[in-house]
Amino acid sequence: MTAQASTGTAPSLDSVYQDRLLDLAETIARDGHVVAAPDAETTAVSRACGSRVRIQVRFDGDTVADYGQRVEACALGSAAASAVGGAVIGASVAEIRAAAAALEAMLKRDGPAPAGRFDSLSALLPARAFTNRHGSILLTFRALEKAFKATGR
C-alpha cells in the first residue's frame, strides 16, 4: 500500500509526471513516421484540452504492418501515444481493441494496467485521478478505432 493510499489523499501532479511517463512523452514512438500507401488516415481530438493525434496505418489482414503518427498532445496524451506507437506494429485489431478496453478500465474503473505488448501503458496508472485527462490518454486508441471502422475491421 502506498503512502497515498494509506492516507487517503489524492495523487499530486508530481506523482503523475514520474520519470517513466516523461521518458515516453519525450520521444514519441513513430511520431513523424510516414506510412507508404496507408490503408487509413484518421485524426482524434480531445475536446477538453485540444490534444490531437493523427495516424496512418497499413494492415496485413487484421495485423498492423506499418504505423505512423503525428502527436500534438499534453504529456499524458503523448506518453500514451508513444506507448501505443511502440507496441502497435505486429498487433492484431483484436489485441489493440483489448488494450484500449484495458486502458479505459484502468483509468475509469480501477482495473489492472494493460498487459503484454501494451504493458508500458502502466506508466499512466497515476493519471486515474485526473478524469479530465482521460480523453487525451485514450486519443490514439480512438484514432485507431476510426481506422478500423474505415477499413471494415
Side-chain angles (χ1 to χ4, degrees):
M1 182 175 267
T2 66
Q4 287 175 322
S6 63
T7 63
T9 61
S12 70
L13 282 175
D14 288 341
S15 71
V16 172
Y17 295 106
Q18 49 22 36
D19 290 342
R20 187 166 164 226
L21 185 143
L22 292 175
D23 288 344
L24 281 169
E26 184 178 329
T27 307
I28 301 169
R30 305 194 72 78
D31 192 31
H33 175 75
V34 177
V35 175
D39 294 313
E41 297 183 51
T42 63
T43 301
V45 178
S46 171
R47 292 180 185 185
C49 66
S51 291
R52 174 184 306 268
V53 175
R54 288 174 287 209
I55 68 164
Q56 295 180 320
V57 63
R58 186 168 38 84
F59 297 97
D60 180 5
D62 274 350
T63 300
V64 174
D66 198 5
Y67 177 83
Q69 58 186 349
R70 187 69 193 127
V71 180
E72 300 165 12
C74 64
L76 295 172
S78 293
S82 185
V84 173
V88 73
I89 302 294
S92 69
V93 170
E95 284 178 286
I96 295 165
R97 283 183 169 142
L103 179 61
E104 189 163 4
M106 178 190 88
L107 293 171
K108 297 181 179 188
R109 295 181 295 283
D110 292 329
R117 71 169 65 233
F118 292 96
D119 66 352
S120 61
L121 289 165
S122 66
L124 293 151
L125 267 166
R128 280 180 174 161
F130 299 94
T131 57
N132 62 331
R133 297 294 186 191
H134 292 178
S136 182
I137 293 168
L138 293 164
L139 272 183
T140 303
F141 283 120
R142 291 195 174 124
L144 278 161
E145 188 59 38
K146 284 182 174 181
F148 299 157
K149 289 180 179 177
T151 58
R153 290 177 168 77

